[in-house]
Amino acid sequence: MIVDNDLLSIQQARILAENGFEAQKKLATFPQEKLDEIVEHIADAVEGHAEELALMSHEETDGGRWQDKLVKNLFVCNQVRKELRGMRCVGVINEDPQRKITDIGVPVGVIAALCPVTGPVSTTVYNTLIALKSGNGVIFSPHPAAVKSIGRVLDIMIEAGEACGLPEGSISYLETVTKSGTCELMGHRNISLIMVTGVPGMIKYAQQTGKPVIYGGTGNGPAFIERTANIGQAVQDIIASKTFDNGIAPSAEQSIVVDSCVADDVRKSLTSCGAYFMSEREADSLAELFIAPDGQRRKGMAGQSAQVLASRAGFRVPDTTTVLVAERKYVSDTDPYYREFLSPVLALYVEDDWMHACEKCIELLLHERNAHTLVIHSADEDVILQFALKKPVGRLLVNTPAAFGGMGATTNLFPSMTLGSSSAGFGITSDNVSPMNLIYVRKVGHGVKSAADVLGTSGQGTGQYKLNINDSNVVQVIQKILQQAIEAIDDPADR
């Protein structure tokens, strides 16, 4: 029997969206305490399978290191879970007795989530925990290259959640994954919000639905080593970040921009940490592995070790090599090294001073329009402030490894596996995405003044002006004022 996978996937998407909608209506009635109980139960279940899932995802995707994938799995089950404890996302989340204002957290509904091949298990678990924490249902479209590992962890979470009272259908996933089915899911009337984490090829289809989209994007994140930096520590941080899971983390450094007066010290420090500086011929050979002549990325290169990459490119490196470095002068469409490689490969640029370095970083950030993460290593607070003020980027990290700082492991940013791009990207937020990005806040405002106070009629008998609201001229004036106010609000320049 011949099966049309596109039609099957579309049918599955419709059924899952309908079931998810009914399940979420029940879930929306749960108090925060019950949602928290479900989250804890699911995290416990996943933690018990963390190593199995790390091995499985590494074998299936053939990228990164299973030991580092285990670290990410445990990070979500432990550090993220601790951060979620005590957060109030639904019901009364804030009260201001003096101003008589109350905030009510309300789930957005059912979320369609797309997860990446680079972190299939940890991202799937993370997105599930924050969706349920905030009372939302979530339906996944697994990455085609990680269907087995994503399906396995979702089965674990579904079983654990339903055993704890989670309505059936609150978590689900496409078993037959096609582009048509994924587009049908995202565009379904019962889907309220779309989360696209590290799947850039689907972002335009998500946008075409007209629904709000959270984009955990990619991008060429540079690290600037300024002259006042602790050079040795800065280089160690960059190497640790870029070798973690073989450089597969989107927030990891993709290039280094160096103040010229410390460039030699940086090169020496990089070499002492196992960096291999490629010749121009070697750099060209390596770039051809990643980028096809038509400009498209080649598959199967992300998350490979420096030794494997060098061997495939036709040259040998020492067994102790940690990263491959290509020295570049310009950011250009003809030079592939401005692009994100998601492997232990770094481009190195040298600039005369921090102002020129600032411009170079902006070039790198904007070239792929997904300004994601920037790192600065410096002891000069004024320079750090200027970078913070001027860079079109989602997050600026200071004196920390980007892969760990971006996800909130070495910083106090919210611990997250879905990191929003900046306004130069494609999503509605640049946050480290948390449950608070998956709710809307209903404002409750108690009356503190009377209508007479507003209309100026409270001063009758005191000599104050009395407004006759039955006067047609007055009504016309009020209508005109309101119309002007509405036009001002609608003016894009005022947003």
Side-chain angles (χ1 to χ4, degrees), residues 8-9 11-17 19-20 56 110-115 124 128 137-143 146-159 162 169-178 181-182 185:
L8 182 58
S9 186
Q11 182 183 33
Q12 286 181 358
R14 291 172 179 170
I15 293 171
L16 294 178
N19 292 343
M56 185 178 184
V110 182
I111 297 166
L114 282 62
C115 289
T124 300
T128 301
V138 59
I139 305 172
F140 287 90
S141 175
H143 193 285
V147 171
K148 291 181 181 179
S149 51
I150 291 177
R152 171 62 177 149
V153 72
L154 282 167
D155 286 341
I156 292 170
M157 292 191 291
I158 290 168
E159 182 180 356
E162 291 181 0
S170 298
I171 310 171
S172 59
Y173 63 97
L174 288 173
E175 294 182 356
T176 303
V177 183
T178 67
T182 302
L185 175 65

Side-chain angles (χ1 to χ4, degrees), residues 282-450:
E282 291 170 338
D284 289 344
S285 298
L286 183 68
E288 289 175 2
L289 290 178
F290 284 89
I291 310 297
D294 62 358
Q296 297 298 310
R297 299 175 187 273
R298 299 186 193 273
K299 295 181 179 180
M301 302 305 299
Q304 302 301 317
S305 69
Q307 289 80 6
V308 168
L309 292 174
S311 177
R312 291 183 183 179
F315 60 94
R316 299 192 58 170
V317 296
D319 292 340
T320 55
T321 299
T322 53
V323 298
L324 304 175
V325 180
E327 296 210 49
R328 320 310 286 169
K329 290 184 178 180
Y330 308 106
V331 178
S332 166
D333 288 336
T334 61
D335 182 9
Y337 282 92
Y338 79 83
R339 303 183 70 173
E340 179 187 57
F341 279 6
L342 292 178
S343 287
V345 178
L346 289 163
L348 179 68
Y349 302 87
V350 177
E351 296 295 332
D352 290 338
D353 50 48
W354 74 262
M355 289 177 287
H356 286 88
C358 181
E359 295 303 318
K360 182 70 72 180
C361 288
I362 291 175
E363 281 187 87
L364 290 165
L365 289 167
L366 293 184
H367 237 73
E368 291 188 319
R369 290 199 63 229
N370 299 331
H372 190 291
T373 301
L374 168 68
V375 184
I376 180 170
H377 293 273
S378 173
D380 190 324
E381 294 297 332
D382 290 336
V383 172
I384 293 171
L385 177 60
Q386 289 304 311
F387 265 65
L389 291 172
K390 295 182 179 180
K391 295 298 171 294
V393 72
R395 60 198 49 76
L396 174 69
L397 306 175
V398 181
N399 297 326
T400 193
F404 308 125
M407 63 193 279
T410 59
T411 64
N412 285 323
L413 297 177
F414 194 92
S416 177
M417 303 306 295
T418 298
L419 310 183
S421 295
S422 78
S423 58
F426 303 94
I428 61 173
T429 181
S430 60
D431 289 346
N432 279 23
V433 178
S434 79
M436 303 308 290
N437 296 105
L438 308 182
I439 65 171
Y440 74 87
V441 179
R442 178 182 298 141
K443 293 286 186 179
V444 180
H446 293 260
V448 295
K449 298 177 183 177
S450 69

Side-chain angles (χ1 to χ4, degrees), residues 226-239:
E226 194 258 346
R227 64 188 63 189
T228 64
N230 180 329
I231 304 299
Q233 187 61 57
V235 169
Q236 287 179 34
D237 284 349
I238 292 169
I239 296 294

